[in-house]
Every structure is written in C-alpha cells, then in structure tokens.
Amino acid sequence: MTESQRINCMKCQHFYITWDANFPRGCKAYGFKTQTMPSLRVLSSSGKPCMNFEPKADSKQKQ
C-alpha cells in the first residue's frame, strides 16, 4: 500500500479516541478499539483497505 492509498483515520467520522490507555483509538463502524490506527488493523486483518471510511463533515460549513 502506498502513502497515497493509506486511509487517514483522523479524517474519518467513525474514528474516536477512547479512555482506555491500552487501546486508545477506536472505530465506531467496525466496533473495536486498538493500539494502532484502526485502518492499519483492518488492513492487517483482512488484507484489504478499510471500506467504511467516510470523511468528516467540514465544521466550517455547518455554521
């Protein structure tokens, strides 16, 4: 996977930060917490890039 294909979880509406120090990152779409970025966990588990990526809404447009 090249850098241009890498999915940036920080820009996904399903990504969240947890209170769990052992698993600080989570994915609401897949329903799991992980130590690494969720997209990397999905890639290593399935061999395919994350299919649930949805970009966050632009907060400037909401106002």
Side-chain angles (χ1 to χ4, degrees), residues 14-15 23 25 45-46:
H14 301 298
F15 177 75
F23 302 100
R25 298 168 189 92
S45 297
S46 68

Side-chain angles (χ1 to χ4, degrees), residues 9-60:
C9 292
M10 301 288 273
K11 294 183 179 182
C12 180
Q13 68 181 11
H14 301 298
F15 177 75
Y16 69 102
I17 302 296
T18 73
W19 289 97
D20 189 340
N22 294 320
F23 302 100
R25 298 168 189 92
C27 178
K28 293 177 187 174
Y30 285 111
F32 68 85
K33 297 185 287 184
T34 182
Q35 291 179 340
T36 63
M37 281 298 183
S39 62
L40 295 177
R41 176 62 135 211
V42 169
L43 181 63
S44 68
S45 297
S46 68
K48 298 179 181 180
C50 177
M51 303 301 276
N52 284 326
F53 176 81
E54 292 183 37
K56 289 182 181 179
D58 188 5
S59 61
K60 292 179 182 178

Side-chain angles (χ1 to χ4, degrees), residues 1-8 39-40 43 48-50 53:
M1 174 170 267
T2 65
E3 194 65 33
S4 64
Q5 295 173 323
R6 178 175 278 173
I7 294 173
N8 185 352
S39 62
L40 295 177
L43 181 63
K48 298 179 181 180
C50 177
F53 176 81

